Amino acid sequence: MFEVVIGLEVHVQLNTISKLFCSCPTSFNHKQNTNTCPTCLALPGALPVLNKEVLHKSIMLGTAIDATINQTSFFDRKSYFYPDSPSAFQITQLYTPIVEHGSLTIDFEDGTHKTIRINRAHIEADAGKNIHDGDISKVDLNRAGTPLLEIVSEPDMSSAEEVTLYLKKLHSIIRYLDIGDANMQEGSFRVDVNVSIRPKGEKKLYTRVEVKNINSFKFIQQAIAVEVARQTEAWEDGLYEKEICQETRLFDQVKQETRSMRGKEEAADYRYFPEPDLLKAVVSDEMLAKYSKIPELPDEKMARFVSEYGMNDYSASVVTSSVEMAHFFETMMKEGISAKNALTWLTTELPSRLKGDVNITNSPVDATKLGHLVKRIEDKTISGKAAKEVLDYLMDNAQDVDAAIEKLGLKQVSDTGAIEVICDEIIAANPEKVEQYQGGKEKLFGFFVGQVMKASKGSANPQSVNEVLKSKLG
């Protein structure tokens, strides 16, 4: 029997306005090679100048993961050549990173927890992007020099489930802090997985294999399963030392296999040395005090929602799973509605109507409007059924809730006098069923309710209808 040992390297692109060492914009999707200058093109004589905003965002992350923030850190030069790296080296932090010795706690469905140690988070410059077009390869250097935080965990995870929980928690923290958009599809949250196996019970770490740049939680789970199976098979066949070497592999999601990309270099291969063109990075006491005051994080918000709104842990975890949903919910609650109804309409009714690229951040029905709609159910202006019709209408029409209710004629009638008139008409038109009901066939009560609601075109308040009918039918 074997156990799995996993450590992660997560590259988070920071959402600064300009690049790490120059004033070029970091905007995504601009025309290729337009966001460049002599510095990020590594032209002779161009010197880097550190973007202080990167230090601010690093302090925020370090605070969130309960890490040590080094008020003096240094940059190092890591030598290697890639076609999308014009300098043939990367500026990074090897010896003294800005953040180290942190941790992150993951939560399992059964209520148990596990703490994953984080070795470091260091600042480094991103490379550009290779674009392969048939037989031609092109290079876009717009991304070259974009600031990254590389967050390196200890090898504390032992399953794909733990990896997914860790990454989702880290992703959520990045979004709550608003230090990056963490968009995996656009490459601003990239994951390298270091995988090894060992006989169960052993403490020794065996050869680790790095699976590089995986861009979805689903593919990360698949890559781990494939690589663990490959290493297990080699061990059982007596070929572990021959076939499993320290290397970087790529995951092919179509063929469901990992393929060798290159041998894993050691630190000596990169010829690290202190970056000669940069001064040390200094975090002042004032800067540390200012940027360590971070927004409420997912765990804190979840605990507050349980306490403040009386919801259970599961519901609170759902509504705090993304910062966008948490803010949407809190805006809805400003309408003075119940948390239970707000949850239902936010997590069930609204999502069922969001199609394609439409989500809660660009929904035509915003949080205030949805909260107001729920309020109109609770004050009995409309029924829950009518509210669904109103929501459908609002998804396609830019109107406020009350105007939509008026236009659709769905305002609920609670006037007892008007309801009594309809009830009298239905009772008079169905003498046989009245006799059967009064003779003990109580299931017919639903028939009378249905007829009254039909006659009122669904506008009668069901509670009032029930009360009037019970009184009149005896």
Side-chain angles (χ1 to χ4, degrees):
M1 290 289 289
F2 299 96
E3 64 181 16
V4 182
V5 181
I6 303 170
L8 300 177
E9 299 168 17
V10 180
H11 296 80
V12 175
Q13 183 175 309
L14 299 177
N15 58 355
T16 55
I17 296 170
S18 56
K19 293 184 181 181
L20 181 54
F21 298 121
C22 66
S23 59
C24 291
T26 56
S27 305
F28 182 78
N29 257 351
H30 281 193
K31 184 179 178 182
Q32 292 90 346
N33 297 305
T34 55
N35 295 342
T36 57
C37 72
T39 298
C40 55
L41 291 177
L43 297 182
L47 293 174
V49 177
L50 177 62
N51 183 344
K52 277 190 178 180
E53 198 181 351
V54 175
L55 297 182
H56 303 162
K57 294 178 186 294
S58 300
I59 293 166
M60 294 173 72
L61 177 73
T63 304
I65 61 173
D66 195 25
T68 299
I69 297 164
N70 291 317
Q71 289 188 250
T72 302
S73 60
F74 298 88
F75 289 96
D76 304 288
R77 186 174 291 192
K78 176 183 181 182
S79 302
Y80 64 90
F81 174 75
Y82 285 137
D84 56 358
S85 178
S87 63
F89 62 83
Q90 181 184 40
I91 298 178
T92 183
Q93 293 185 311
L94 174 67
Y95 300 109
T96 310
I98 188 166
V99 171
E100 58 186 342
H101 310 314
S103 65
L104 189 152
T105 300
I106 57 175
D107 312 299
F108 298 98
E109 283 188 15
D110 62 4
T112 58
H113 313 279
K114 180 176 179 178
T115 297
I116 308 299
R117 294 171 299 156
I118 294 175
N119 177 285
R120 55 163 48 211
H122 59 264
I123 301 166
E124 62 184 24
D126 205 354
K129 182 181 181 182
N130 289 318
I131 302 166
H132 304 292
D133 184 7
D135 294 333
I136 300 172
S137 289
K138 306 171 184 177
V139 177
D140 178 11
L141 294 175
N142 277 352
R143 199 171 67 187
T146 297
L148 299 177
L149 269 180
E150 181 174 347
I151 304 162
V152 183
S153 82
E154 297 288 0
D156 289 350
M157 286 160 272
S158 56
S159 68
E161 178 194 11
E162 291 183 6
V163 167
T164 302
L165 289 172
Y166 171 88
L167 288 173
K168 286 186 174 180
K169 189 72 163 286
L170 183 59
H171 186 277
S172 183
I173 288 171
I174 300 296
R175 295 292 300 117
Y176 269 79
L177 293 174
D178 192 25
I179 61 173
D181 60 27
N183 188 315
M184 296 186 84
Q185 286 70 38
E186 293 179 359
S188 54
F189 188 90
R190 308 195 295 272
V191 182
D192 301 341
V193 183
N194 292 289
V195 184
S196 65
I197 62 172
R198 63 186 175 193
K200 209 166 184 64
E202 278 199 26
K203 298 299 180 185
K204 175 184 173 182
L205 293 173
Y206 285 81
T207 305
R208 65 184 172 91
V209 172
E210 180 184 49
V211 187
K212 192 84 173 167
N213 281 349
I214 317 174
N215 66 351
S216 81
F217 295 127
K218 177 183 175 183
F219 291 154
I220 288 166
Q221 292 176 328
Q222 292 175 355
I224 291 170
V226 166
E227 183 57 27
V228 168
R230 185 182 77 90
Q231 293 186 26
T232 301
E233 183 180 359
W235 194 303
E236 291 175 341
D237 291 345
L239 299 172
Y240 182 82
E241 291 186 3
K242 181 180 179 182
E243 294 187 357
I244 308 303
C245 58
Q246 188 167 317
E247 62 177 341
T248 299
R249 298 178 72 87
L250 294 175
F251 174 59
D252 186 329
Q253 55 260 34
V254 176
K255 295 183 179 179
Q256 288 291 294
E257 65 180 19
T258 62
R259 291 197 305 273
S260 183
M261 177 183 175
R262 63 176 184 268
K264 181 65 176 173
E265 300 92 340
E266 299 293 343
D269 297 316
Y270 289 124
R271 304 192 311 281
Y272 282 101
F273 62 90
E275 171 54 50
D277 291 335
L278 281 165
L279 299 172
K280 60 188 177 183
V282 177
V283 173
S284 66
D285 291 341
E286 292 77 15
M287 190 189 297
L288 186 62
K290 180 177 179 180
Y291 291 98
S292 59
K293 293 175 182 175
I294 58 175
E296 188 178 44
L297 294 175
D299 286 352
E300 297 163 353
K301 195 174 285 289
M302 178 179 164
R304 180 169 64 82
F305 281 8
V306 169
S307 171
E308 191 172 323
Y309 300 120
M311 60 176 73
N312 59 39
D313 286 349
Y314 176 75
S315 296
S317 69
V318 169
V319 83
T320 58
S321 61
S322 76
V323 65
E324 294 83 7
M325 184 173 285
H327 289 167
F328 200 103
F329 173 79
E330 290 193 281
T331 302
M332 286 182 70
M333 292 302 293
K334 290 176 182 177
E335 292 291 319
I337 58 179
S338 77
K340 182 180 179 183
N341 286 334
L343 274 169
T344 298
W345 285 80
L346 172 57
T347 62
T348 304
E349 296 299 338
L350 183 62
S352 69
R353 292 163 173 82
L354 300 177
K355 308 296 181 187
D357 294 330
V358 182
N359 53 56
I360 63 170
T361 63
N362 60 6
S363 168
V365 177
D366 62 19
T368 300
K369 195 175 283 190
L370 188 63
H372 194 63
L373 180 62
V374 174
K375 188 174 185 177
R376 287 293 173 257
I377 302 170
E378 294 185 352
D379 66 17
K380 297 184 170 51
T381 299
I382 54 173
S383 65
K385 182 180 178 182
K388 294 179 182 182
E389 193 175 331
V390 174
L391 182 55
D392 288 334
Y393 178 81
L394 292 173
M395 294 299 291
D396 298 319
N397 298 274
Q399 273 194 313
D400 64 47
V401 172
D402 290 335
I405 292 170
E406 197 70 38
K407 181 174 179 62
L408 297 171
L410 294 172
K411 196 167 185 178
Q412 200 161 245
V413 177
S414 297
D415 177 21
T416 306
I419 292 173
E420 283 185 354
V421 171
I422 300 173
C423 289
D424 287 339
E425 291 173 355
I426 298 300
I427 290 170
N430 296 277
E432 291 181 7
K433 285 189 168 54
V434 172
E435 189 177 339
Q436 290 172 9
Y437 173 77
Q438 292 175 340
K441 203 170 183 180
E442 294 183 358
K443 288 184 179 179
L444 280 170
F445 187 77
F447 164 80
F448 290 106
V449 172
Q451 290 299 302
V452 173
M453 295 304 294
K454 183 178 178 182
S456 70
K457 296 181 180 178
S459 64
N461 184 317
Q463 187 178 342
S464 299
V465 170
N466 282 347
E467 291 171 359
V468 171
L469 280 174
K470 282 178 182 176
S471 172
K472 289 186 175 293
L473 289 170

